Amino acid sequence: MNLAALLLLPSGHIAAAPSLPPVVPKPVSMHVGTGRGFTVSRNTLLVDENGTTASALLQSLLKRGAGFTLKTAKHGNTRGAISLIKAPKGALRQGEYKLHSGSDGIRIWFGDKGGAVYAVQTLRQLLPQAIEGPKPSTTTKWSVPAIEITDYPRFSWRGMHLDVSRHFFQPSFIEKYLDYISMMKMNVFHWHLVDDGGWRIEIEKYPKLTSVGAWRYGITTGWDQSKLSYGAEAGAKYGGFYTKAQVREIVKYAADRDINVVPEIEMPGHTMPVLAAYPDLMCQNQPASAVSGQPSSNVYCVGNEKTFGFIQDVLDEVMEMFPSKWIHIGGDEVDKSYWHRCSLCQEKMKAEGLKNEESLQSYFVKRIDKYLASKGRRLMGWDEILEGGLAPGATVMSWRGIDGGIAAAKSGHDVVMSPTSHCYFDFAYSGQSTEHVYTFDPVPAALNATQAKHVLGGQANVWTEWIPTEARAEFMIWPRMGAMAETLWSPKAGRDTGEFMGRVSSLFGRLDRLGSSYFLPAPQVAMSAILFKGKAKVEAIQDKQMPGKLHYSIDGTVPTLKSPLYTKPVTVTKAASIRFAYLTPSGKPGDIAQVDCLPAHTEKVANVQNGWKAAYYEGSWTAVPNFAKLKPVISGFMNRIGFDIRHHDENFALDLNGYFKAPKDGVYHFEISSDDGSILKVGGATVINHDGSHGGTMKDGNVWLPKGWHKIEIGYYQGSGAYSLSLAVKVPGTSKIAKADSFVYSHGPGRD
Ligand code: ACM
Ligand code: ZN
């Protein structure tokens, strides 16, 4: 059957069936037939006149999950075969495909490489989940329902970003990431290769970029599942980089799946590793570095012509490795105070008639834009490149909201929307849920139809300061990536979040077979800490909707498949930290709920007055520090939680201590609100862990306490930006939640 024949198919034998197979992203149009579908077997012929990479993709899927590949032919009878048929030129849109499956075979029409790949990815989701492996299945029938699909993307830019600077990811994981991108019919991999965490790509002319710039010592940040904390740890040598050969292989692997790899070579800021390797490129007249062993700046000197020579050399080698039309040059978060202090930068501003440092950044970006354009490429940058005037050829990636993207589109520039509101997959699910991501629309109402054409699409970003492992990266992207993919691929009309959430959960079984982690929330627990007399019953609430099973450990380890399955409350008679987690069938844990259980003991307390003992510390933290190892700048007493004791508005920590007066036995409900992180301990047990860098959000926890005095401690830190802290409590037998201050006592000023 040719394409014209398919288009003219009598619709009579196709029914708009009530239950459609769960395909993500949802195809534009899908009709289930009434007849039998098609069964793929080792005798099925694969007819592919054009020798597409899509048929290689299909063969590799079959090999993994079914243990066979198909005999192929360039020509042959499409009856009983899987056929990949090139549609006549102009018959289909970019990326469009049509798929017909019936008892007489599977026929796919495509117009371009993308269309063929997308058709195979749809076919994959029509096949049983066992197609994902991990080992060939012998028993499954590889049946595909009778179906007719017409499908094409809404946007041409459907991107996933990965920061490999803050944490380095092996080439094998990059290919896995590309598999995920392809599975979701996305087509841009934005590879964030340069940032303050390390330079990650081999450049032959400047070997120190990798021999020096790809490695760091000491500080490594990340989410530590075993410690349940975000934190900076003294690490050994950390880093890595991609060789040119590895980059070429990855670029080809992506191209075979019709994914364009857009390299990001950050400039002029976020270039700490470059300046560690080549300090000549740093500004003049700078104060000494705040951190020993680190360069005092992370911004190129734009007043020095050497900088441009260096960048052009680097870009030459980058363009040799990456065929991408777009080269991303970053441009975000440039600390312009370096330029303000620098004699060379100031001279340059005078010579070029630039009135401020924003104009100097614009001057810099325009020169790079011109250079890239001279090589037939286009510059892309974060929305800060609008400041001081946008370079003529620039495409803007809007991240600080959508205003930058709107301004750029209105002035006739192409834009990709990637606002923090929906597209930051490093943000916790509690603040950016899958359901919320699904409400993303890259085209703002503020744009008219002509301006809206400049919106190429959207992209999700995965910054890895807090993502040290492959499993954590997968946990952060899945299933949000399904939501992002669908907002960028499928028509906007008829979106139903509930329907989508059901459909996207069909991916979990596939992800399990692929060995991928995905988000499973921490199980709900009745009590987040228990101070018990005799014994405690520790209760978790089993959510039957959850795709994972609820396991627990009693020794403070991360639950595994070997840990007991939770069926009834766990009885504890001595001090223990019980950890509950949903586990995927392959044993990957979701977020952990921990319940600290300690034998209750009340304190003998005398000569106290209402208020907190407070200690103030200075330093740059990303998690509540271990105060036992630190010396406070100042200590004192405060009647209520506040910040009077501080000297600065940023980079400080507070340790607040006292005795909590429990008026009766029972469950105490605490609510802590903080910006940034905080931890509440009562009687030595962690009741609320609200640690890590975040905005002003509340977290709550329950603890059973016997009547009497209990030690209470709040650990708090402030990084940058706004800061706040408050604690409220509901005592048993009352219905009101009140400020906790009135229940807290300590030895007054001048006393320990
Ligand atoms: C960014 O998130 N700094 C682009
Ligand atoms: Zn300078």
Side-chain angles (χ1 to χ4, degrees):
M1 199 177 343
N2 62 25
L3 179 76
L6 176 75
L7 296 172
L8 293 173
L9 263 181
S11 56
H13 74 288
I14 299 287
S19 95
L20 293 168
V23 178
V24 181
K26 190 179 196 168
V28 171
S29 116
M30 180 156 58
H31 296 281
V32 173
T34 48
R36 276 190 306 117
F38 183 71
T39 302
V40 183
S41 77
R42 60 177 67 241
N43 300 318
T44 303
L45 185 67
L46 177 59
V47 180
D48 179 11
E49 187 180 334
N50 296 276
T52 63
T53 55
S55 64
L57 183 62
L58 177 60
Q59 295 282 39
S60 69
L61 284 166
L62 287 169
K63 185 150 202 274
R64 182 175 61 204
F68 59 77
T69 55
L70 306 180
K71 262 205 269 315
T72 59
K74 278 202 173 268
H75 304 280
N77 190 349
T78 60
R79 272 199 95 73
I82 299 176
S83 312
L84 281 152
I85 305 156
K86 185 108 198 265
K89 213 174 155 58
L92 299 180
R93 300 168 174 84
Q94 194 176 353
E96 182 169 358
Y97 68 92
K98 290 175 185 291
L99 188 151
H100 168 92
S101 161
S103 55
D104 58 343
I106 293 174
R107 293 179 194 84
I108 288 165
W109 288 264
F110 64 93
D112 51 29
K113 179 160 64 174
V117 168
Y118 306 142
V120 166
Q121 292 294 6
T122 293
L123 177 55
R124 169 191 193 169
Q125 290 191 44
L126 297 174
L127 283 162
Q129 293 193 346
I131 199 65
E132 310 296 347
K135 287 199 202 86
S137 155
T138 48
T139 52
T140 317
K141 278 185 69 176
W142 303 105
S143 54
V144 178
I147 204 157
E148 198 152 295
I149 294 174
T150 293
D151 202 13
Y152 49 85
R154 180 173 171 214
F155 293 103
S156 66
W157 188 293
R158 303 180 302 281
M160 283 298 293
H161 151 289
L162 183 67
D163 168 9
V164 295
S165 174
R166 273 55 175 267
H167 280 102
F168 178 68
F169 292 85
Q170 294 299 330
S172 57
F173 183 72
I174 302 301
E175 293 193 353
K176 213 169 176 190
Y177 202 73
L178 290 165
D179 288 340
Y180 296 149
I181 291 174
S182 177
M183 186 158 120
M184 289 296 99
K185 302 189 177 81
M186 297 173 97
N187 66 345
V188 176
F189 172 45
H190 174 166
W191 203 358
H192 187 77
L193 290 158
V194 174
D195 212 306
D196 294 328
W199 181 282
R200 302 282 176 231
I201 183 168
E202 179 186 5
I203 300 293
E204 280 166 55
K205 189 154 184 186
Y206 299 100
K208 281 206 242 167
L209 284 174
T210 43
S211 67
V212 174
W215 306 96
R216 64 181 185 253
Y217 297 85
I219 309 288
T220 301
T221 55
W223 167 251
D224 187 332
Q225 178 86 324
S226 66
K227 294 198 182 75
L228 289 188
S229 72
Y230 294 98
E233 296 175 38
K237 184 178 178 180
Y238 180 87
F241 65 93
Y242 308 97
T243 65
K244 285 195 158 176
Q246 288 169 333
V247 168
R248 290 201 174 99
E249 194 176 311
I250 284 165
V251 168
K252 176 171 187 319
Y253 191 89
D256 285 350
R257 288 153 183 76
D258 203 44
I259 297 166
N260 182 35
V261 184
V262 177
E264 181 180 349
I265 308 297
E266 269 263 24
M267 61 186 83
H270 286 291
T271 54
M272 182 93 72
V274 184
L275 302 178
Y278 297 99
D280 279 8
L281 304 176
M282 220 177 321
C283 278
Q284 310 290 307
N285 328 103
Q286 300 304 318
S289 171
V291 181
S292 83
Q294 264 184 16
S296 59
S297 161
N298 73 343
V299 180
Y300 287 122
C301 180
V302 175
N304 184 348
E305 280 302 307
K306 259 192 184 170
T307 296
F308 291 95
F310 168 85
I311 289 174
Q312 290 177 6
D313 290 342
V314 167
L315 289 176
D316 286 346
E317 292 194 33
V318 167
M319 287 185 280
E320 220 179 272
M321 284 180 267
F322 294 92
S324 171
K325 176 159 92 170
W326 280 278
I327 304 292
H328 201 303
I329 60 103
D332 60 320
E333 301 177 319
V334 180
D335 181 346
K336 298 177 182 77
S337 67
Y338 297 110
W339 295 343
H340 192 70
R341 287 188 294 263
C342 172
S343 50
L344 290 177
C345 286
Q346 292 304 311
E347 277 168 33
K348 175 71 81 183
M349 284 166 61
K350 222 187 240 158
E352 298 291 334
L354 305 169
K355 57 183 185 308
N356 54 29
E357 282 76 20
E358 280 69 35
S359 310
L360 185 61
Q361 164 141 341
S362 170
Y363 163 85
F364 169 85
V365 176
K366 281 176 181 156
R367 272 185 71 168
I368 304 300
D369 177 47
K370 201 162 162 188
Y371 186 72
L372 289 171
S374 78
K375 307 283 175 186
R377 307 296 182 102
R378 289 185 63 184
L379 177 146
M380 177 171 274
W382 301 108
D383 55 68
E384 284 95 329
I385 66 171
L386 281 151
E387 292 162 10
L390 195 52
T395 300
V396 170
M397 190 168 265
S398 193
W399 73 280
R400 297 174 305 172
I402 54 173
D403 292 348
I406 292 172
K410 284 190 170 171
S411 64
H413 288 260
D414 286 345
V415 304
V416 172
M417 290 295 194
S418 190
T420 51
S421 61
H422 293 79
C423 303
Y424 270 51
F425 287 4
D426 55 322
F427 289 9
Y429 280 84
S430 54
Q432 203 157 109
S433 65
T434 306
E435 291 92 329
H436 176 72
V437 172
Y438 193 62
T439 63
F440 179 54
D441 184 2
V443 179
L447 298 180
N448 66 32
T450 312
Q451 294 159 346
K453 287 211 174 74
H454 286 295
V455 179
L456 304 177
Q459 178 176 295
N461 299 327
V462 183
W463 302 99
T464 59
E465 287 95 329
W466 309 108
I467 303 179
T469 63
E470 297 175 359
R472 192 69 187 172
E474 291 168 339
F475 179 92
M476 297 308 278
I477 64 172
W478 289 118
R480 288 190 285 205
M481 189 174 165
M484 181 56 57
E486 186 150 317
T487 66
L488 300 175
W489 176 280
S490 309
K492 196 180 166 194
R495 270 190 209 152
D496 173 344
T497 303
E499 183 275 333
F500 170 75
M501 291 305 287
R503 187 156 38 81
V504 82
S505 69
S506 74
L507 291 178
F508 293 141
R510 293 181 188 271
L511 293 170
D512 274 321
R513 289 173 171 277
L514 295 170
S516 176
S517 290
Y518 48 86
F519 171 68
L520 291 167
Q524 289 207 319
V525 288
M527 217 66 73
S528 50
I530 303 177
L531 302 188
F532 61 89
K533 286 180 179 163
K535 65 180 175 188
K537 276 195 184 307
V538 188
E539 193 183 347
I541 298 147
Q542 170 91 54
D543 181 345
K544 294 274 189 294
Q545 302 290 329
M546 213 46 68
K549 289 223 167 73
L550 180 49
H551 290 255
Y552 68 95
S553 71
I554 56 170
D555 56 0
T557 57
V558 176
T560 67
L561 289 173
K562 294 208 181 90
S563 311
L565 207 58
Y566 179 82
T567 51
K568 61 177 197 308
V570 184
T571 303
V572 170
T573 55
K574 52 182 198 284
S577 283
I578 315 292
R579 289 180 162 195
F580 298 95
Y582 291 107
L583 302 187
T584 68
S586 62
K588 302 272 176 86
D591 270 347
I592 291 172
Q594 176 168 309
V595 182
D596 276 359
C597 303
L598 291 173
H601 75 283
T602 50
E603 309 284 339
K604 284 203 172 52
V605 172
N607 300 324
V608 288
Q609 66 188 75
N610 190 213
W612 299 81
K613 201 158 76 101
Y616 164 79
Y617 300 81
E618 286 178 0
S620 167
W621 293 289
T622 47
V624 175
N626 180 355
F627 294 111
K629 291 187 180 165
L630 300 173
K631 248 179 77 118
V633 175
I634 186 168
S635 299
F637 172 84
M638 49 173 80
N639 297 34
R640 67 186 80 83
I641 294 171
F643 293 100
D644 294 349
I645 195 172
R646 86 198 187 286
H647 293 179
H648 302 291
D649 288 343
E650 300 199 327
N651 297 320
F652 68 87
L654 292 176
D655 183 23
L656 307 180
N657 282 278
Y659 296 97
F660 181 83
K661 191 177 188 178
K664 56 170 78 167
D665 287 4
V667 176
Y668 290 74
H669 174 79
F670 285 93
E671 296 184 353
I672 198 162
S673 298
S674 68
D675 173 355
D676 288 289
S678 59
I679 294 173
L680 171 71
K681 289 186 180 175
V682 180
T686 300
V687 177
I688 306 175
N689 185 341
H690 195 17
D691 206 359
S693 299
H694 54 73
T697 49
M698 188 276 274
K699 202 164 172 187
D700 62 0
N702 294 332
V703 56
W704 189 92
L705 297 173
K707 175 177 180 198
W709 294 99
H710 301 273
K711 282 192 170 152
I712 186 167
E713 179 182 6
I714 298 174
Y716 164 86
Y717 85 96
Q718 147 71 345
S720 60
Y723 58 93
S724 61
L725 176 66
S726 65
L727 180 69
V729 64
K730 189 158 86 64
V731 304
T734 64
S735 57
K736 248 186 41 219
I737 185 130
K739 279 204 155 84
D741 295 319
S742 55
F743 296 89
V744 176
Y745 291 74
S746 63
H747 299 294
R751 303 200 39 176
D752 189 33

